Amino acid sequence: MGDLGMHVLHLPMRFGWKPRSVRALLSKVVQERLGRDGMMVPCETWDNAILACDVKTADQQFPMNLSTKRIAPGHANTWFIRIQGTQCSADFSTKNPKQIASLPYTPGGEQSWHGMSLTFLNNPLMERLRAVFSNSASPTRFCKCGPHSAMKSLTAAR
């Protein structure tokens, strides 16, 4: 994927979610690009990739879908993570960096997304997110493993 590389895996790897197997759907939208000299040259990288992965942790196994796109109008320098768990789901995007959505779930119960505005001072959730992104943080500070534990950790911070 050229310069898009591993960016899509930064958070999953911090959570300890390492793919055991990967299947890819790759697309080459742009065949030529401007070269350094201003002349058209063949494009040597893929533009978009959708990866279907299997993840196994110490206590669970789950599918993980990853997507990285060079051709994504309206999403310049944007990334998002969407976790769908059996007891809670969450959605976060850098398009709205001060908001996170969660959906706590119990079988037979209401399925309603909850939006939360995040402040950056004295907010336990923001502290956990900061820990994930800091070089000194281990993935276990944020969550122990898969989507279920990640959501439990996120909602406990509310």
Side-chain angles (χ1 to χ4, degrees), residues 131-143:
V132 169
F133 290 110
S134 74
N135 291 332
S136 62
S138 71
T140 55
R141 279 197 203 163
F142 183 68
C143 64

Side-chain angles (χ1 to χ4, degrees), residues 28-158:
K28 192 172 251 200
V29 178
V30 178
Q31 300 299 318
E32 293 183 318
R33 299 187 189 282
L34 284 177
R36 292 181 184 184
D37 61 1
M39 303 294 292
M40 295 303 284
V41 296
C43 179
E44 298 176 357
T45 60
W46 296 100
D47 293 304
N48 299 336
I50 298 171
L51 309 174
C53 310
D54 291 315
V55 176
K56 184 173 184 177
T57 64
D59 62 348
Q60 62 183 327
Q61 184 171 341
F62 55 92
M64 177 170 64
N65 296 315
L66 304 168
S67 178
T68 182
K69 296 184 168 127
R70 179 174 284 116
I71 310 299
H75 295 280
N77 297 317
T78 300
W79 66 264
F80 67 89
I81 185 165
R82 185 171 297 131
I83 301 170
Q84 296 172 318
T86 57
Q87 295 181 3
C88 190
S89 297
D91 190 62
F92 173 80
S93 172
T94 56
K95 262 194 158 182
N96 300 300
K98 291 184 179 183
Q99 287 190 323
I100 190 164
S102 65
L103 187 148
Y105 176 73
T106 54
E110 181 180 314
Q111 295 183 30
S112 177
W113 281 94
H114 305 272
M116 180 172 40
S117 294
L118 304 173
T119 59
F120 288 91
L121 298 173
N122 301 320
N123 182 312
L125 177 57
M126 289 311 295
E127 291 303 318
R128 288 173 193 238
L129 289 173
R130 254 193 294 282
V132 169
F133 290 110
S134 74
N135 291 332
S136 62
S138 71
T140 55
R141 279 197 203 163
F142 183 68
C143 64
K144 294 178 184 163
C145 53
H148 171 69
S149 296
M151 290 305 88
K152 190 192 260 181
S153 182
L154 281 174
T155 55
R158 292 203 309 174

